[in-house]
Amino acid sequence: MSIDKDTVVRIARLSRIAMEDDALEPMAEELNGILAWVEQLSEVDTEGVEPMTGAIAATLPQRDDDAEAGTATDDLLANAPEADDGFFVVPKVVE
Amino acid sequence: MSADGYRVRGRDGEWEIAVGLEVHAQVISEAKLFSSAPTAFGAEPNTQVSLVDAAMPGMLPVINRHCVTQAVRTGLALEAEINLTSVFDRKNYFYPDLPPGYQISQYSRPIVGEGRVVLDLEDGSQRTIGITRLHLEMDAGKSIHDRRADATCVDLNRAGVALMEIVSEPDIRSPEEAGIYLRKLRSILRYIGTCDGNMEQGSLRADVNVSVRRPGDELGTRCEVKNLNSVRFVMRAIEVEAERQVAVREDGGEIELETRLFDAERGETRSMRSKEEAHDYRYFPDPDLLPLTLDPAWVEAERARLPELPDARKARFMADYGLSAYDAGVLVAEREIAEYFEAVTAGRDGKQAANWVTGTLFGALNRAGIGIEQSPVSAAALGALIDRVADGTVSNRAAKDVFEAMVSTGKDADAIIEEQALRQVSDEGAIEALVNQVIADNPDKVADFRGGKTKLMGWFVGQVMKASGGKANPKAVNQALRAKLDG
């Protein structure tokens, strides 16, 4: 797998990361280096082996269907850049 | 309309449509899918949000076991395969009403696999629509764009509520079938109590995948029309989207795989996202959640606990009460109606009870604009009225008046029959007196009748009924008249 400059531009946009033009090539090289290193794992034959989901045998913990009051609205909104009448306020988004 | 009859008429020839539905059904539960915040609809904004739902740093999701049960029950009711191991994945996208930046969903290993829904079409035939899968996922919050001109307001009350996404195969061949499918699915969900099916409140929403092809061809490229919140909109959106695709193809164009929005006012669909913004959700297994494993014995126990489903109940109504497929279908569509009907018909004639419920009662409910749960006449009260018809106390016609009085006063049938003196006159002496009077008053009509105009019998019955104030037993009147006139 190899990552080119266009791919870096695309995944940066998907991740909402702003990148300067002159940082794109170095980033592509860096990512390719990481991928090449990880790629060594594919030398191991995993044919017919179930994916391992953890180092210890554990099952998914589950909760009962008991509702508890939500977080106090003021606390919830405390770190919001802007709040209005109980709502989070964000820049206008219209599709 | 026959199963494969729907065609879009293009400029040069006819086109078939193939439609699949993705239905998002909100799970009935007290708490959310991965947090303990409540799910009640209509609360003040941001009052039902836990720190998990708001994606505060360090918060971890813990799955609600009841939501898992609800999904499994739904899968069983759709005669589907239950996957004993399923996996939760992150579906990544940025939107202000999705605080974590990803939706926890299921991608390659959903909790429920292939199943089916059987549709009863209008012409009496049946069609089976395949279910591809059902998976569990969390809902997003709500973005409100029209509250402020300069900004978007976000309410996270709905964020994290459990949804079941139910995906059908592209087996649907007409807008009508899509409507029947959605109603049937809604009926099943309501029977088993896993979703309330309320489309106005958004508990049930549908995306439709539409493609067109020349009859006999392979499936064409599809477009997805998103977020339809009524059966009518689903049907209309399919119609206009199919017409749009036919026009594009006939002009030599290609259909591009894309997401579109339905504009009900203009009756058209519009492209929703530009191409460079095309979906790239970068799914991967959520490292916060281990795979979900189910015990096969528990699944079987849930299967045994399912209530009687609409198809089985319909077959039973037809076999036990001698109802037509149509009447039985109408009566089983809503669980509450089916239960009301069964209470009315207990120990009584099934067809009579069906006529009263689907005719007189539904008429009254429709006029009042209310559902059967708010019926002013209880099943027991309606049953008692039917008994008074069966034992001859009131005529069928008078019974309709009694029913209307029951609706408006809330009193029972016996009280109204007494109050309004609607008791049917079956007394032979009284009826004979009325018959004699009518005959004596109309010697010319009697002569005509005896001269061969036997159709006048109906007129004589009418006169006697009128003279009795509608209370004479029509059967007794008929007998008495025949005895006098023929004799």
Side-chain angles (χ1 to χ4, degrees), chain B residues 448-475:
Chain B
D448 287 350
F449 180 84
R450 290 189 172 142
K453 288 184 84 175
T454 52
K455 278 185 182 163
L456 279 169
M457 181 54 100
W459 183 85
F460 279 109
V461 173
Q463 291 302 305
V464 177
M465 291 303 292
K466 204 168 135 192
S468 75
K471 284 180 284 182
N473 181 337
K475 221 163 113 190

PDB file of all heavy atoms in Angstrom, chain B residues 448-475:
ATOM      1  N   ASP B 448    -103.520  -3.736  -6.657  1.00  0.00           N
ATOM      2  CA  ASP B 448    -102.376  -3.858  -7.580  1.00  0.00           C
ATOM      3  C   ASP B 448    -101.530  -5.074  -7.233  1.00  0.00           C
ATOM      4  O   ASP B 448    -101.099  -5.840  -8.088  1.00  0.00           O
ATOM      5  CB  ASP B 448    -101.489  -2.602  -7.524  1.00  0.00           C
ATOM      6  CG  ASP B 448    -102.161  -1.409  -8.201  1.00  0.00           C
ATOM      7  OD1 ASP B 448    -103.203  -1.620  -8.860  1.00  0.00           O
ATOM      8  OD2 ASP B 448    -101.636  -0.281  -8.053  1.00  0.00           O
ATOM      9  N   PHE B 449    -101.284  -5.234  -5.926  1.00  0.00           N
ATOM     10  CA  PHE B 449    -100.432  -6.341  -5.478  1.00  0.00           C
ATOM     11  C   PHE B 449    -101.072  -7.674  -5.862  1.00  0.00           C
ATOM     12  O   PHE B 449    -100.428  -8.546  -6.436  1.00  0.00           O
ATOM     13  CB  PHE B 449    -100.246  -6.266  -3.957  1.00  0.00           C
ATOM     14  CG  PHE B 449     -99.385  -7.383  -3.409  1.00  0.00           C
ATOM     15  CD1 PHE B 449     -97.992  -7.278  -3.411  1.00  0.00           C
ATOM     16  CD2 PHE B 449     -99.958  -8.555  -2.904  1.00  0.00           C
ATOM     17  CE1 PHE B 449     -97.200  -8.302  -2.922  1.00  0.00           C
ATOM     18  CE2 PHE B 449     -99.167  -9.579  -2.421  1.00  0.00           C
ATOM     19  CZ  PHE B 449     -97.784  -9.452  -2.421  1.00  0.00           C
ATOM     20  N   ARG B 450    -102.345  -7.766  -5.567  1.00  0.00           N
ATOM     21  CA  ARG B 450    -103.030  -9.036  -5.853  1.00  0.00           C
ATOM     22  C   ARG B 450    -103.149  -9.251  -7.347  1.00  0.00           C
ATOM     23  O   ARG B 450    -103.258 -10.379  -7.820  1.00  0.00           O
ATOM     24  CB  ARG B 450    -104.396  -9.054  -5.165  1.00  0.00           C
ATOM     25  CG  ARG B 450    -104.207  -9.162  -3.656  1.00  0.00           C
ATOM     26  CD  ARG B 450    -105.489  -9.390  -2.908  1.00  0.00           C
ATOM     27  NE  ARG B 450    -105.188  -9.675  -1.494  1.00  0.00           N
ATOM     28  CZ  ARG B 450    -105.926  -9.242  -0.498  1.00  0.00           C
ATOM     29  NH1 ARG B 450    -107.017  -8.518  -0.714  1.00  0.00           N
ATOM     30  NH2 ARG B 450    -105.603  -9.560   0.732  1.00  0.00           N
ATOM     31  N   GLY B 451    -103.098  -8.139  -8.115  1.00  0.00           N
ATOM     32  CA  GLY B 451    -103.143  -8.247  -9.567  1.00  0.00           C
ATOM     33  C   GLY B 451    -101.783  -8.618 -10.165  1.00  0.00           C
ATOM     34  O   GLY B 451    -101.631  -8.657 -11.388  1.00  0.00           O
ATOM     35  N   GLY B 452    -100.771  -8.821  -9.326  1.00  0.00           N
ATOM     36  CA  GLY B 452     -99.488  -9.306  -9.852  1.00  0.00           C
ATOM     37  C   GLY B 452     -98.293  -8.387  -9.584  1.00  0.00           C
ATOM     38  O   GLY B 452     -97.157  -8.761  -9.844  1.00  0.00           O
ATOM     39  N   LYS B 453     -98.530  -7.172  -9.070  1.00  0.00           N
ATOM     40  CA  LYS B 453     -97.384  -6.286  -8.807  1.00  0.00           C
ATOM     41  C   LYS B 453     -96.761  -6.631  -7.449  1.00  0.00           C
ATOM     42  O   LYS B 453     -96.835  -5.868  -6.486  1.00  0.00           O
ATOM     43  CB  LYS B 453     -97.837  -4.822  -8.842  1.00  0.00           C
ATOM     44  CG  LYS B 453     -98.141  -4.351 -10.266  1.00  0.00           C
ATOM     45  CD  LYS B 453     -98.506  -2.877 -10.304  1.00  0.00           C
ATOM     46  CE  LYS B 453     -97.269  -2.000 -10.347  1.00  0.00           C
ATOM     47  NZ  LYS B 453     -97.636  -0.567 -10.511  1.00  0.00           N
ATOM     48  N   THR B 454     -96.139  -7.812  -7.419  1.00  0.00           N
ATOM     49  CA  THR B 454     -95.615  -8.325  -6.138  1.00  0.00           C
ATOM     50  C   THR B 454     -94.455  -7.490  -5.599  1.00  0.00           C
ATOM     51  O   THR B 454     -94.084  -7.615  -4.436  1.00  0.00           O
ATOM     52  CB  THR B 454     -95.150  -9.786  -6.286  1.00  0.00           C
ATOM     53  OG1 THR B 454     -94.255  -9.843  -7.404  1.00  0.00           O
ATOM     54  CG2 THR B 454     -96.314 -10.712  -6.525  1.00  0.00           C
ATOM     55  N   LYS B 455     -93.878  -6.654  -6.495  1.00  0.00           N
ATOM     56  CA  LYS B 455     -92.767  -5.799  -6.023  1.00  0.00           C
ATOM     57  C   LYS B 455     -93.240  -4.817  -4.954  1.00  0.00           C
ATOM     58  O   LYS B 455     -92.417  -4.218  -4.247  1.00  0.00           O
ATOM     59  CB  LYS B 455     -92.179  -4.998  -7.198  1.00  0.00           C
ATOM     60  CG  LYS B 455     -91.191  -5.811  -8.022  1.00  0.00           C
ATOM     61  CD  LYS B 455     -90.560  -4.934  -9.082  1.00  0.00           C
ATOM     62  CE  LYS B 455     -89.611  -5.730  -9.953  1.00  0.00           C
ATOM     63  NZ  LYS B 455     -89.313  -5.031 -11.201  1.00  0.00           N
ATOM     64  N   LEU B 456     -94.553  -4.621  -4.854  1.00  0.00           N
ATOM     65  CA  LEU B 456     -95.099  -3.689  -3.854  1.00  0.00           C
ATOM     66  C   LEU B 456     -94.876  -4.157  -2.422  1.00  0.00           C
ATOM     67  O   LEU B 456     -95.094  -3.387  -1.484  1.00  0.00           O
ATOM     68  CB  LEU B 456     -96.603  -3.491  -4.093  1.00  0.00           C
ATOM     69  CG  LEU B 456     -96.949  -2.486  -5.210  1.00  0.00           C
ATOM     70  CD1 LEU B 456     -98.424  -2.557  -5.547  1.00  0.00           C
ATOM     71  CD2 LEU B 456     -96.564  -1.076  -4.780  1.00  0.00           C
ATOM     72  N   MET B 457     -94.467  -5.435  -2.264  1.00  0.00           N
ATOM     73  CA  MET B 457     -94.225  -5.954  -0.915  1.00  0.00           C
ATOM     74  C   MET B 457     -93.295  -5.058  -0.128  1.00  0.00           C
ATOM     75  O   MET B 457     -93.542  -4.738   1.034  1.00  0.00           O
ATOM     76  CB  MET B 457     -93.662  -7.383  -1.000  1.00  0.00           C
ATOM     77  CG  MET B 457     -93.401  -8.015   0.347  1.00  0.00           C
ATOM     78  SD  MET B 457     -94.864  -8.001   1.431  1.00  0.00           S
ATOM     79  CE  MET B 457     -95.443  -9.664   1.226  1.00  0.00           C
ATOM     80  N   GLY B 458     -92.221  -4.623  -0.793  1.00  0.00           N
ATOM     81  CA  GLY B 458     -91.245  -3.750  -0.131  1.00  0.00           C
ATOM     82  C   GLY B 458     -91.893  -2.465   0.358  1.00  0.00           C
ATOM     83  O   GLY B 458     -91.605  -1.993   1.453  1.00  0.00           O
ATOM     84  N   TRP B 459     -92.799  -1.918  -0.465  1.00  0.00           N
ATOM     85  CA  TRP B 459     -93.492  -0.681  -0.092  1.00  0.00           C
ATOM     86  C   TRP B 459     -94.357  -0.903   1.156  1.00  0.00           C
ATOM     87  O   TRP B 459     -94.331  -0.091   2.079  1.00  0.00           O
ATOM     88  CB  TRP B 459     -94.351  -0.227  -1.281  1.00  0.00           C
ATOM     89  CG  TRP B 459     -95.053   1.078  -1.029  1.00  0.00           C
ATOM     90  CD1 TRP B 459     -94.557   2.320  -1.210  1.00  0.00           C
ATOM     91  CD2 TRP B 459     -96.398   1.231  -0.541  1.00  0.00           C
ATOM     92  NE1 TRP B 459     -95.486   3.268  -0.862  1.00  0.00           N
ATOM     93  CE2 TRP B 459     -96.640   2.618  -0.450  1.00  0.00           C
ATOM     94  CE3 TRP B 459     -97.420   0.334  -0.169  1.00  0.00           C
ATOM     95  CZ2 TRP B 459     -97.853   3.137  -0.026  1.00  0.00           C
ATOM     96  CZ3 TRP B 459     -98.639   0.849   0.256  1.00  0.00           C
ATOM     97  CH2 TRP B 459     -98.841   2.245   0.331  1.00  0.00           C
ATOM     98  N   PHE B 460     -95.062  -2.045   1.175  1.00  0.00           N
ATOM     99  CA  PHE B 460     -95.912  -2.352   2.342  1.00  0.00           C
ATOM    100  C   PHE B 460     -95.071  -2.489   3.612  1.00  0.00           C
ATOM    101  O   PHE B 460     -95.411  -1.942   4.662  1.00  0.00           O
ATOM    102  CB  PHE B 460     -96.693  -3.661   2.104  1.00  0.00           C
ATOM    103  CG  PHE B 460     -97.927  -3.453   1.264  1.00  0.00           C
ATOM    104  CD1 PHE B 460     -97.989  -3.931  -0.038  1.00  0.00           C
ATOM    105  CD2 PHE B 460     -99.037  -2.776   1.774  1.00  0.00           C
ATOM    106  CE1 PHE B 460     -99.119  -3.734  -0.818  1.00  0.00           C
ATOM    107  CE2 PHE B 460    -100.177  -2.579   1.001  1.00  0.00           C
ATOM    108  CZ  PHE B 460    -100.223  -3.052  -0.302  1.00  0.00           C
ATOM    109  N   VAL B 461     -93.931  -3.208   3.485  1.00  0.00           N
ATOM    110  CA  VAL B 461     -93.049  -3.372   4.661  1.00  0.00           C
ATOM    111  C   VAL B 461     -92.620  -2.002   5.162  1.00  0.00           C
ATOM    112  O   VAL B 461     -92.670  -1.711   6.360  1.00  0.00           O
ATOM    113  CB  VAL B 461     -91.817  -4.251   4.312  1.00  0.00           C
ATOM    114  CG1 VAL B 461     -90.827  -4.270   5.491  1.00  0.00           C
ATOM    115  CG2 VAL B 461     -92.228  -5.665   3.958  1.00  0.00           C
ATOM    116  N   GLY B 462     -92.247  -1.146   4.215  1.00  0.00           N
ATOM    117  CA  GLY B 462     -91.816   0.210   4.575  1.00  0.00           C
ATOM    118  C   GLY B 462     -92.902   0.962   5.328  1.00  0.00           C
ATOM    119  O   GLY B 462     -92.622   1.634   6.324  1.00  0.00           O
ATOM    120  N   GLN B 463     -94.148   0.859   4.845  1.00  0.00           N
ATOM    121  CA  GLN B 463     -95.259   1.572   5.487  1.00  0.00           C
ATOM    122  C   GLN B 463     -95.472   1.086   6.917  1.00  0.00           C
ATOM    123  O   GLN B 463     -95.682   1.895   7.823  1.00  0.00           O
ATOM    124  CB  GLN B 463     -96.554   1.367   4.669  1.00  0.00           C
ATOM    125  CG  GLN B 463     -96.540   2.073   3.318  1.00  0.00           C
ATOM    126  CD  GLN B 463     -96.320   3.577   3.445  1.00  0.00           C
ATOM    127  OE1 GLN B 463     -97.043   4.263   4.152  1.00  0.00           O
ATOM    128  NE2 GLN B 463     -95.299   4.076   2.763  1.00  0.00           N
ATOM    129  N   VAL B 464     -95.421  -0.250   7.085  1.00  0.00           N
ATOM    130  CA  VAL B 464     -95.639  -0.801   8.429  1.00  0.00           C
ATOM    131  C   VAL B 464     -94.507  -0.370   9.363  1.00  0.00           C
ATOM    132  O   VAL B 464     -94.734   0.046  10.502  1.00  0.00           O
ATOM    133  CB  VAL B 464     -95.760  -2.349   8.386  1.00  0.00           C
ATOM    134  CG1 VAL B 464     -95.910  -2.892   9.815  1.00  0.00           C
ATOM    135  CG2 VAL B 464     -96.944  -2.762   7.521  1.00  0.00           C
ATOM    136  N   MET B 465     -93.262  -0.433   8.841  1.00  0.00           N
ATOM    137  CA  MET B 465     -92.110  -0.031   9.659  1.00  0.00           C
ATOM    138  C   MET B 465     -92.258   1.426  10.085  1.00  0.00           C
ATOM    139  O   MET B 465     -91.996   1.788  11.228  1.00  0.00           O
ATOM    140  CB  MET B 465     -90.797  -0.201   8.883  1.00  0.00           C
ATOM    141  CG  MET B 465     -90.380  -1.632   8.600  1.00  0.00           C
ATOM    142  SD  MET B 465     -90.199  -2.654  10.086  1.00  0.00           S
ATOM    143  CE  MET B 465     -88.765  -1.886  10.831  1.00  0.00           C
ATOM    144  N   LYS B 466     -92.685   2.258   9.134  1.00  0.00           N
ATOM    145  CA  LYS B 466     -92.865   3.678   9.406  1.00  0.00           C
ATOM    146  C   LYS B 466     -93.916   3.875  10.505  1.00  0.00           C
ATOM    147  O   LYS B 466     -93.706   4.636  11.449  1.00  0.00           O
ATOM    148  CB  LYS B 466     -93.304   4.370   8.107  1.00  0.00           C
ATOM    149  CG  LYS B 466     -92.971   5.859   8.062  1.00  0.00           C
ATOM    150  CD  LYS B 466     -93.154   6.398   6.648  1.00  0.00           C
ATOM    151  CE  LYS B 466     -93.900   7.721   6.649  1.00  0.00           C
ATOM    152  NZ  LYS B 466     -94.334   8.111   5.306  1.00  0.00           N
ATOM    153  N   ALA B 467     -95.023   3.126  10.354  1.00  0.00           N
ATOM    154  CA  ALA B 467     -96.116   3.243  11.325  1.00  0.00           C
ATOM    155  C   ALA B 467     -95.659   2.811  12.721  1.00  0.00           C
ATOM    156  O   ALA B 467     -96.157   3.299  13.729  1.00  0.00           O
ATOM    157  CB  ALA B 467     -97.300   2.392  10.873  1.00  0.00           C
ATOM    158  N   SER B 468     -94.659   1.903  12.753  1.00  0.00           N
ATOM    159  CA  SER B 468     -94.195   1.411  14.061  1.00  0.00           C
ATOM    160  C   SER B 468     -93.091   2.303  14.622  1.00  0.00           C
ATOM    161  O   SER B 468     -92.536   2.004  15.676  1.00  0.00           O
ATOM    162  CB  SER B 468     -93.648  -0.016  13.920  1.00  0.00           C
ATOM    163  OG  SER B 468     -92.366   0.015  13.296  1.00  0.00           O
ATOM    164  N   GLY B 469     -92.738   3.346  13.890  1.00  0.00           N
ATOM    165  CA  GLY B 469     -91.630   4.192  14.321  1.00  0.00           C
ATOM    166  C   GLY B 469     -90.303   3.462  14.189  1.00  0.00           C
ATOM    167  O   GLY B 469     -89.375   3.716  14.936  1.00  0.00           O
ATOM    168  N   GLY B 470     -90.225   2.546  13.249  1.00  0.00           N
ATOM    169  CA  GLY B 470     -88.972   1.825  12.990  1.00  0.00           C
ATOM    170  C   GLY B 470     -88.703   0.704  13.977  1.00  0.00           C
ATOM    171  O   GLY B 470     -87.639   0.100  13.949  1.00  0.00           O
ATOM    172  N   LYS B 471     -89.677   0.445  14.859  1.00  0.00           N
ATOM    173  CA  LYS B 471     -89.387  -0.504  15.927  1.00  0.00           C
ATOM    174  C   LYS B 471     -89.909  -1.917  15.669  1.00  0.00           C
ATOM    175  O   LYS B 471     -89.616  -2.837  16.415  1.00  0.00           O
ATOM    176  CB  LYS B 471     -89.960   0.020  17.251  1.00  0.00           C
ATOM    177  CG  LYS B 471     -89.100   1.141  17.821  1.00  0.00           C
ATOM    178  CD  LYS B 471     -89.637   1.660  19.112  1.00  0.00           C
ATOM    179  CE  LYS B 471     -90.849   2.556  18.869  1.00  0.00           C
ATOM    180  NZ  LYS B 471     -91.383   3.135  20.102  1.00  0.00           N
ATOM    181  N   ALA B 472     -90.730  -2.072  14.623  1.00  0.00           N
ATOM    182  CA  ALA B 472     -91.273  -3.405  14.348  1.00  0.00           C
ATOM    183  C   ALA B 472     -90.163  -4.322  13.844  1.00  0.00           C
ATOM    184  O   ALA B 472     -89.247  -3.885  13.160  1.00  0.00           O
ATOM    185  CB  ALA B 472     -92.379  -3.311  13.310  1.00  0.00           C
ATOM    186  N   ASN B 473     -90.261  -5.577  14.208  1.00  0.00           N
ATOM    187  CA  ASN B 473     -89.303  -6.569  13.730  1.00  0.00           C
ATOM    188  C   ASN B 473     -89.607  -6.837  12.258  1.00  0.00           C
ATOM    189  O   ASN B 473     -90.678  -7.346  11.927  1.00  0.00           O
ATOM    190  CB  ASN B 473     -89.477  -7.845  14.573  1.00  0.00           C
ATOM    191  CG  ASN B 473     -88.507  -8.925  14.152  1.00  0.00           C
ATOM    192  OD1 ASN B 473     -88.008  -8.943  13.036  1.00  0.00           O
ATOM    193  ND2 ASN B 473     -88.248  -9.843  15.073  1.00  0.00           N
ATOM    194  N   PRO B 474     -88.684  -6.489  11.335  1.00  0.00           N
ATOM    195  CA  PRO B 474     -88.986  -6.588   9.901  1.00  0.00           C
ATOM    196  C   PRO B 474     -89.391  -7.999   9.472  1.00  0.00           C
ATOM    197  O   PRO B 474     -90.232  -8.169   8.596  1.00  0.00           O
ATOM    198  CB  PRO B 474     -87.682  -6.168   9.221  1.00  0.00           C
ATOM    199  CG  PRO B 474     -86.865  -5.508  10.251  1.00  0.00           C
ATOM    200  CD  PRO B 474     -87.318  -6.006  11.584  1.00  0.00           C
ATOM    201  N   LYS B 475     -88.805  -8.990  10.123  1.00  0.00           N
ATOM    202  CA  LYS B 475     -89.119 -10.378   9.751  1.00  0.00           C
ATOM    203  C   LYS B 475     -90.589 -10.692  10.080  1.00  0.00           C
ATOM    204  O   LYS B 475     -91.320 -11.257   9.262  1.00  0.00           O
ATOM    205  CB  LYS B 475     -88.196 -11.333  10.533  1.00  0.00           C
ATOM    206  CG  LYS B 475     -87.689 -12.487   9.686  1.00  0.00           C
ATOM    207  CD  LYS B 475     -86.499 -13.133  10.359  1.00  0.00           C
ATOM    208  CE  LYS B 475     -86.835 -14.546  10.807  1.00  0.00           C
ATOM    209  NZ  LYS B 475     -85.788 -15.101  11.674  1.00  0.00           N
TER     210      LYS B 475
END
